[in-house]
Amino acid sequence: MMAWLKNFRWYDLPNYLLNQVTVGDYASCHADISYAALARQKLDVYVPKQPRADRSMILFSHGGRWQYGQKEDYIFLAQNLAKQGFYVAVMNYQLAPEQMYPRFVEDTILAINWLAEPQQANHYGYSAEHLVLMGHSAGAFNVMAALYHGDDVQYKIQNLQGIRAVIGFAGPYSFEHRGDAVAKDAFAQDVAPEYIMPSFFTLHNQVHHLLLVAGKDTLVGDENSEKMQQALIAVNNHVELVRIRGTSHVSIIASLAQGLDRLFMTKKVMLNFLAR
């Protein structure tokens, strides 16, 4: 009991409670599948009981300041997305301070490439041509930087045409990380943001982007999504920015939990976006 309390963080409490009280049974979970060789390079695949016609797969990358978090915290999210017919993969990635940028971005690319393999798609039943990247907070940075990064990232996405959309929840896409108390252990302090932040590396592609901003976010400023939006517009990419009223930095992702999704516009906005 004391060991559990020692590792407990108040940041985790909402997810813990949501996993206890809001989880439905809409998918079978294939847990701890390796997308690469290291201990943190694992994901859980959720196969919906009633898949959508297009058999879309959502890859979700968790938040946690690049320093903590785990895929098991998001059972509530995966099951409720599966309720809508989506296949879902929830990934772990290497964490700071042991591993700094660009390791967590490279892990994200490795997971994307693993899901894009026909062998995996055929085995689980999803379409590798209908991948959706989704992340919250640090995870939103990860999925965006997987698409838009500099030469220091050693891997590349192998099937960009198969990525239909990116959905970022409260993402820190463009900020001064040097001296930032949250980011100092995740990013080199002697490298300028222009060499790291995805807003500086946008390229034209067919991917649709949805940037969701919490209405009451006191951790990640709205300017992150606004700068990312402008950078995507500058290269003629499709992008939508929506503010979710009544949500905080943490509760914006909780607003997709079963039951809570009726109280917020988050699910409706996301489903309408993916239907276009």
Side-chain angles (χ1 to χ4, degrees):
M1 181 67 171
M2 292 304 296
W4 181 84
L5 286 174
K6 181 179 179 181
N7 294 323
F8 179 77
R9 294 176 296 267
W10 287 108
Y11 185 93
D12 298 328
L13 182 61
N15 289 5
Y16 174 80
L17 294 175
L18 290 171
N19 281 340
Q20 300 303 309
V21 301
T22 71
V23 174
D25 183 20
Y26 305 106
S28 58
C29 178
H30 303 260
D32 292 326
I33 302 166
S34 296
Y35 62 84
L38 300 178
R40 284 280 305 183
Q41 294 172 327
K42 288 183 169 60
L43 50 76
D44 296 341
V45 173
Y46 292 79
V47 177
K49 295 181 177 179
Q50 297 183 0
R52 292 160 51 97
D54 62 11
R55 297 181 294 120
S56 291
M57 162 62 82
I58 295 176
L59 172 64
F60 179 76
S61 179
H62 65 76
R65 304 183 179 189
W66 300 281
Q67 298 172 61
Y68 51 84
Q70 58 186 355
K71 53 189 174 57
E72 292 82 6
D73 294 340
Y74 294 90
I75 299 170
F76 75 91
L77 175 66
Q79 285 288 352
N80 208 27
L81 291 173
K83 182 180 180 182
Q84 309 304 317
F86 294 102
Y87 292 78
V88 183
V90 184
M91 66 174 290
N92 279 349
Y93 51 87
Q94 297 177 84
L95 300 174
E98 291 77 14
Q99 298 295 332
M100 300 177 69
Y101 174 88
R103 293 294 175 260
F104 31 82
V105 176
E106 292 172 342
D107 283 357
T108 307
I109 295 172
L110 289 172
I112 294 168
N113 289 342
W114 186 89
L115 288 170
E117 294 175 0
Q119 176 184 353
Q120 315 305 339
N122 293 336
H123 180 71
Y124 295 105
Y126 63 87
S127 171
E129 300 303 316
H130 288 84
L131 299 182
V132 177
L133 311 182
M134 179 186 294
H136 171 233
S137 191
F141 171 93
N142 292 352
V143 296
M144 197 67 72
L147 285 174
Y148 308 113
H149 54 258
D151 294 336
D152 52 350
V153 175
Q154 64 175 316
Y155 301 120
K156 304 297 180 184
I157 292 173
Q158 298 300 313
N159 182 23
L160 183 61
Q161 295 300 315
I163 299 176
R164 300 301 182 185
V166 178
I167 303 175
F169 292 78
Y173 313 111
S174 188
F175 71 104
E176 175 55 83
H177 63 281
R178 293 171 295 183
D180 186 282
V182 171
K184 64 181 178 64
D185 291 327
F187 297 92
Q189 296 298 287
D190 58 350
V191 179
E194 291 81 1
Y195 297 96
I196 293 177
M197 298 297 152
S199 60
F200 293 100
F201 296 100
T202 51
L203 298 169
H204 178 69
N205 56 44
Q206 84 294 341
V207 179
H208 286 203
H209 305 75
L210 177 61
L211 308 178
L212 296 174
V213 177
K216 301 177 180 179
D217 198 330
T218 59
L219 182 60
V220 174
D222 293 1
E223 66 273 8
N224 282 273
S225 290
E226 292 164 355
K227 290 178 182 178
M228 194 71 222
Q229 179 189 37
Q230 291 305 311
L232 290 165
I233 290 173
V235 293
N236 295 315
N237 284 0
H238 179 96
V239 57
E240 301 176 31
L241 188 154
V242 180
R243 287 177 171 81
I244 306 299
R245 296 187 301 274
T247 61
S248 67
H249 185 75
V250 174
S251 68
I252 189 170
I253 196 66
S255 68
L256 283 179
Q258 181 172 256
L260 292 181
D261 57 3
R262 297 195 300 267
L263 305 177
F264 300 92
M265 60 189 290
T266 318
K267 183 177 78 171
K268 181 179 180 181
V269 168
M270 186 186 77
L271 293 178
N272 287 344
F273 167 78
L274 291 174
R276 288 194 280 274

